[in-house]
Amino acid sequence: MSNLELPVLGQDDAVACCSPMVREPLGEEAAADLAKMFKALSDPVRLRLLSLIASHEGGEACVCDLTGPFDVSQPTISHHLKVLREAGLVGSERRGTWVYYWVLPAALAKLSALLQAPDAIAAVPAGGAR
């Protein structure tokens, strides 16, 4: 066996796309793409769905496993999953009768890279006083 290091693909793109907004302003195209993702996450049901999918065993979840925890109908869950998919936050694949969903790591990397605070700002207490 070799001790070669393998690069993690997709992370360079996220960092190149979205350096923290405290370092430089966002471009128009990057802002539009990121706004679509944040808008999709602004709904509590969609945020919970993303969390359920990400934390599901094996990193992917069948739509049949996602309807139980919510007090909404299955078509509403499907609509929310469609919004997450169109925003580029989750991928999906039909397998027989069911559709399986997984979180797209590159999308989460873009969001976290944008919100990453530099060390000086990260050290500020939660109340905001310096």
Side-chain angles (χ1 to χ4, degrees):
M1 249 169 108
S2 172
N3 282 341
L4 294 176
E5 285 189 33
L6 297 175
V8 177
L9 299 177
Q11 290 188 354
D12 294 337
D13 295 338
V15 175
C17 153
C18 310
S19 62
M21 63 183 163
V22 294
R23 283 196 209 136
E24 61 187 63
L26 285 173
E28 190 174 334
E29 187 176 332
D33 289 342
L34 289 162
K36 187 186 294 187
M37 289 182 193
F38 281 115
K39 184 175 181 181
L41 292 175
S42 69
D43 183 280
V45 172
R46 288 194 288 267
L47 189 57
R48 286 185 60 210
L49 277 169
L50 187 73
S51 175
L52 278 171
I53 294 166
S55 63
H56 204 271
E57 186 177 333
E60 64 179 27
C62 174
V63 68
C64 59
D65 296 326
L66 298 174
T67 55
F70 299 96
D71 193 24
V72 295
S73 66
Q74 190 279 326
T76 302
I77 295 293
S78 292
H79 165 74
H80 286 304
L81 290 167
K82 177 183 173 188
V83 171
L84 290 171
R85 192 178 67 249
E86 289 176 349
L89 292 165
V90 297
S92 66
E93 176 182 70
R94 179 172 291 282
R95 298 180 196 157
T97 305
W98 302 109
V99 178
Y100 288 78
Y101 292 88
W102 58 88
V103 173
L104 298 174
L108 296 183
K110 281 183 185 181
L111 295 173
S112 63
L114 175 73
L115 296 175
Q116 183 180 356
D119 295 337
I121 293 176
V124 174
R130 288 185 182 234

